[in-house]
Amino acid sequence: MAVSFAIQRSTRLSRVTAIVALLLLAGLIAAPWWAGRANVRLLGEVYSFVALATLWNLMAGYAGLVSVGQQAYVGFGGYMLFALAMFLGIHPLAAIAIAGVAGAIIALPIAPLLFRLQGAYFAIGTWVLAEVFRLSFAQVSSLGGGSGTSLPAAIVVNIASDRGLREAAIYWTALTIAVASIAFVVLLLRSRMGLALTALRDSEVASESLGIDIWRTKLVVYTAVAGFTSMTGAFIFLQKLRISPDAAFSVNDWTAYVIFIAVIGGIGTIEGPIIGTILFFLLRETLADLGTTYLIVLGAVAILVMLRAPKGLWGYFVQRTGITLVPVRRRVVFPE
């Protein structure tokens, strides 16, 4: 007797979530008109961390590539922005996209070297790579060497002559990068390669026995994440208007905080990095005036979450309720 079934990837809740997300996106697009200047700048920073955490989560949570050196591509993207805008006269917003392409290209020869390392050795290798980048850019005197440089005012004005429109353009760029990063991860995980990544996360040995090209799958993920991370880094330093090796390749700012966000939100989920970013900024804005106590609180929160909810806050919520707002897995549905 034949049994009929259907493959389902979306649910009624996920469709409602998509509608709510579109309405929220429309409101965020209009933020330059309803939010103050400081809030718009803060939102731009939030978007950059959403992008960084989402991309790191794709590597660590799905491809098993736990990196502690993603600041390499943040800094690379920032320096590419300055070089393209200052030396080649490229429009800053166009330079952000070019920096992303350059980041993906430079990751291609680096990835095979890092893939020779496994586990903790891979993580250490990514950190060493970031240090190599930092020391290399510190030797480039035309970009300020070890002390860094500022973006000339003429280049900033080139974005838009009106200050309000210029700030709005930078804000929309940040929102675009965040949305594009999330969309890329969702579409990738819903594709055939997403199935391969899910299998890789469960067992590399079993995945290889099923014919999955592990090396190629990891290469695609690593280079794509490097490109998007470089774009995000270019935006970050366009917003800051100044760059230096220590700031561009800071492990605390661009990797430690990102890992904290992904861990407390939920590794291996789409919603986790978003939840984690919101919580991180709530803690930062509330406790930033406490100095070193702020860092102690962050550490305490991370330890508490890892002990009580190893899969993160969103993972704990899903485990208890079974609710998933952005489903990426296929489900077999049998007729009643």
Side-chain angles (χ1 to χ4, degrees), residues 26 60 70 81 125 186 199 209 243 287 297:
Q70 287 307 98
L81 166 75
V186 171
S209 68
I243 194 169
L287 306 174
V297 172

Side-chain angles (χ1 to χ4, degrees), residues 28 31-32 34-51 167 170-172 174-175 178 235-236 239-240 254 277-286 288 294:
L28 293 176
W34 57 260
R37 181 173 296 167
N39 290 330
V40 167
R41 184 177 180 84
L42 178 62
L43 283 173
E45 191 177 358
V46 170
Y47 299 152
S48 64
F49 273 91
V50 167
E167 292 178 348
I170 294 174
Y171 168 83
W172 289 325
L175 181 59
F235 162 76
I236 288 172
Q239 192 177 43
K240 291 181 178 294
W254 316 127
T277 302
I278 294 173
L279 179 58
F280 170 72
F281 274 87
L282 287 175
L283 289 172
R284 196 189 75 171
E285 296 301 308
T286 304
Y294 158 65

Side-chain angles (χ1 to χ4, degrees), residues 41 44-45 47-49 52 70-86 92-93 95-96 99 133-134 137 143 145-153 155-156 159 170 173-174 177 228-255:
R41 184 177 180 84
E45 191 177 358
Y47 299 152
S48 64
F49 273 91
L52 291 176
Q70 287 307 98
Q71 68 272 18
Y73 296 105
V74 174
F76 177 81
Y79 269 103
M80 283 299 299
L81 166 75
F82 275 63
L84 292 170
M86 291 170 60
L93 300 185
I96 291 177
F133 274 38
R134 183 181 67 83
F137 279 103
L143 289 172
S147 60
T149 186
S150 298
L151 201 62
I155 294 176
V156 179
I159 298 175
I170 294 174
T173 300
I177 292 174
F228 275 101
T229 302
S230 297
M231 287 179 59
T232 307
F235 162 76
I236 288 172
F237 288 97
L238 174 62
Q239 192 177 43
K240 291 181 178 294
L241 302 178
R242 179 169 178 80
I243 194 169
S244 67
D246 290 340
F249 300 100
S250 170
V251 65
N252 287 334
D253 291 342
W254 316 127
T255 297

Side-chain angles (χ1 to χ4, degrees), residues 182-195:
I182 296 172
F184 166 75
V185 173
V186 171
L187 293 175
L188 179 67
L189 294 178
R190 290 172 68 92
S191 67
R192 293 182 63 183
M193 186 168 287
L195 290 175

